[in-house]
Amino acid sequence: MALRRPLPRFWLIATLGCVAILCGTAYWWERQLPQRLRDAAKAGDLEACLRYGEQLAALRWLGNEAPLEQAVCRRRQAQIMWNAGDTSKALELQAQLVNSTVGTKAQQAADRKQLQDWRREVRDKAFSQFRAGDLDKALATLSILEARGQRTGAQLSDSLKETWNRNRIDHERLQERVRRRQWWEALSALNQLDHPWWQRHALPLRRQIETAIKDLRDQQSHTSHGDLPDHTVDTERLNAAVEQRIGEGMDPWSAFVAGCSDLGGVLVEEGPESLCKAKGP
């Protein structure tokens, strides 16, 4: 007679026994964690408090809320991290606190406001760095928001890069106009710059352009004295027409062209300079 093999039943019992032991151990540890969490919170051991809180959240059955002590520890640790300059960690903890929805409605509202205030401070810091001309540092600051899944941070980064590159291209165009001594076109390109750092960077060119235009106006003002051909448009009337057009919102070069046309003149290139001359008879 063949003997029955008891091995399958043995392994089944052993497996179920191990599972039961693991479940019992997890249940026992879950019962221990709340007290350990409270003790850590009372002792001010925020790292242990957060660690126990994460373990408890992982072990608790569905439907149980995050413990109040964990929220207290997150709130305190987030403030400590913020004060220490660890902006990324502070925002992470504060976001976890807000998402946990633990506490009274007033406390939850205060937590949300704190998170919004910190995010706004990060954006303001990035804008300050950007206006000072440090694009890379501004993008690095905004990356903290992007790392937290904030689409706003990515949108701001794209906007800053677009503004910087546009001003860089306008400055290159400005340099080319100055090199070619196209002063009115250069003035128009100069006025396209809308970034404080690039505007300051272009100050030497601005002084050069303003001096050149003043010389042109002085040169044209001698028309009545015979220094220039008699058919050059009267400078005072031209200046008045140009200023009027600028006041209507035109850029300086377009205003110069329109003002010349208003006075019945035509634009003539004399060497590197642009002059408004009266139409011949």
Side-chain angles (χ1 to χ4, degrees):
M1 179 180 297
L3 296 176
R4 293 181 179 179
R5 292 187 175 183
L7 289 179
R9 180 177 298 178
F10 169 78
W11 286 115
L12 176 62
I13 295 174
T15 301
L16 292 177
C18 290
V19 172
I21 292 173
L22 290 175
C23 291
T25 302
Y27 181 79
W28 173 82
W29 183 243
E30 180 188 350
R31 298 298 95 189
Q32 299 296 314
L33 281 175
Q35 186 59 48
R36 291 175 179 267
L37 180 62
R38 286 190 290 270
D39 292 343
K42 291 180 181 179
D45 189 349
L46 299 182
E47 292 186 3
C49 178
L50 293 175
R51 185 171 63 254
Y52 290 141
E54 295 296 336
Q55 293 176 7
L56 184 58
L59 289 173
R60 278 193 163 179
W61 307 115
L62 295 176
N64 286 342
E65 296 181 350
L68 181 61
E69 292 82 4
Q70 183 185 34
V72 172
C73 293
R74 279 176 173 166
R75 189 176 297 113
R76 292 177 181 174
Q77 188 70 0
Q79 187 65 59
I80 291 174
M81 292 294 100
W82 180 266
N83 294 340
D86 192 345
T87 306
S88 179
K89 187 63 176 178
L91 290 175
E92 178 184 355
L93 288 171
Q94 193 68 21
Q96 290 175 348
L97 177 62
V98 170
N99 293 334
S100 69
T101 64
V102 175
T104 64
K105 290 184 177 180
Q107 186 61 67
Q108 291 179 37
D111 291 335
R112 287 193 298 271
K113 183 178 183 302
Q114 181 66 86
L115 181 60
Q116 293 169 357
D117 289 345
W118 283 351
R119 286 174 176 168
R120 182 167 52 252
E121 285 191 41
V122 172
R123 290 192 294 269
D124 290 345
K125 180 180 179 181
F127 283 135
S128 177
Q129 293 166 336
F130 178 66
R131 286 191 295 269
D134 198 334
L135 175 64
D136 291 339
K137 188 174 292 186
L139 295 179
T141 299
L142 286 177
S143 69
I144 297 173
L145 295 181
E146 296 174 19
R148 303 273 73 80
Q150 290 294 303
R151 177 57 187 162
T152 303
Q155 291 173 338
L156 287 176
S157 293
D158 293 342
S159 177
L160 296 189
K161 286 186 284 190
E162 188 277 331
T163 299
W164 184 267
N165 289 331
R166 173 167 45 78
N167 277 264
R168 177 181 55 80
I169 293 172
D170 286 341
H171 188 268
E172 292 174 355
R173 186 181 297 113
L174 167 63
Q175 289 177 310
E176 177 63 18
R177 295 291 185 268
V178 170
R179 187 186 66 80
R180 298 174 59 180
R181 300 174 63 84
Q182 296 175 328
W183 304 117
W184 286 103
E185 296 93 326
L187 182 60
S188 178
L190 178 67
N191 288 336
Q192 295 299 317
L193 299 176
D194 59 2
H195 186 284
W197 187 87
W198 284 105
Q199 289 172 340
R200 293 192 299 271
H201 190 59
L203 281 177
L205 294 177
R206 174 179 288 277
R207 288 191 287 267
Q208 184 179 352
I209 293 168
E210 291 174 346
T211 299
I213 290 178
K214 180 179 182 300
D215 291 342
L216 283 176
R217 287 171 172 170
D218 292 342
Q219 187 180 26
Q220 290 182 350
S221 68
H222 297 312
T223 301
S224 60
H225 299 92
D227 292 338
L228 286 178
D230 291 338
H231 57 271
T232 302
V233 171
D234 180 74
T235 304
E236 292 185 2
R237 295 177 59 204
L238 176 61
N239 288 341
V242 171
E243 294 298 332
Q244 179 180 348
R245 289 291 189 169
I246 291 177
E248 295 172 357
M250 282 189 176
D251 62 84
W253 172 246
S254 299
F256 178 72
V257 174
C260 180
S261 178
D262 291 342
L263 298 178
V266 293
L267 199 63
V268 177
E269 299 289 341
E270 285 202 357
E273 300 173 354
S274 301
L275 301 177
C276 178
K277 293 190 176 183
K279 295 180 180 179

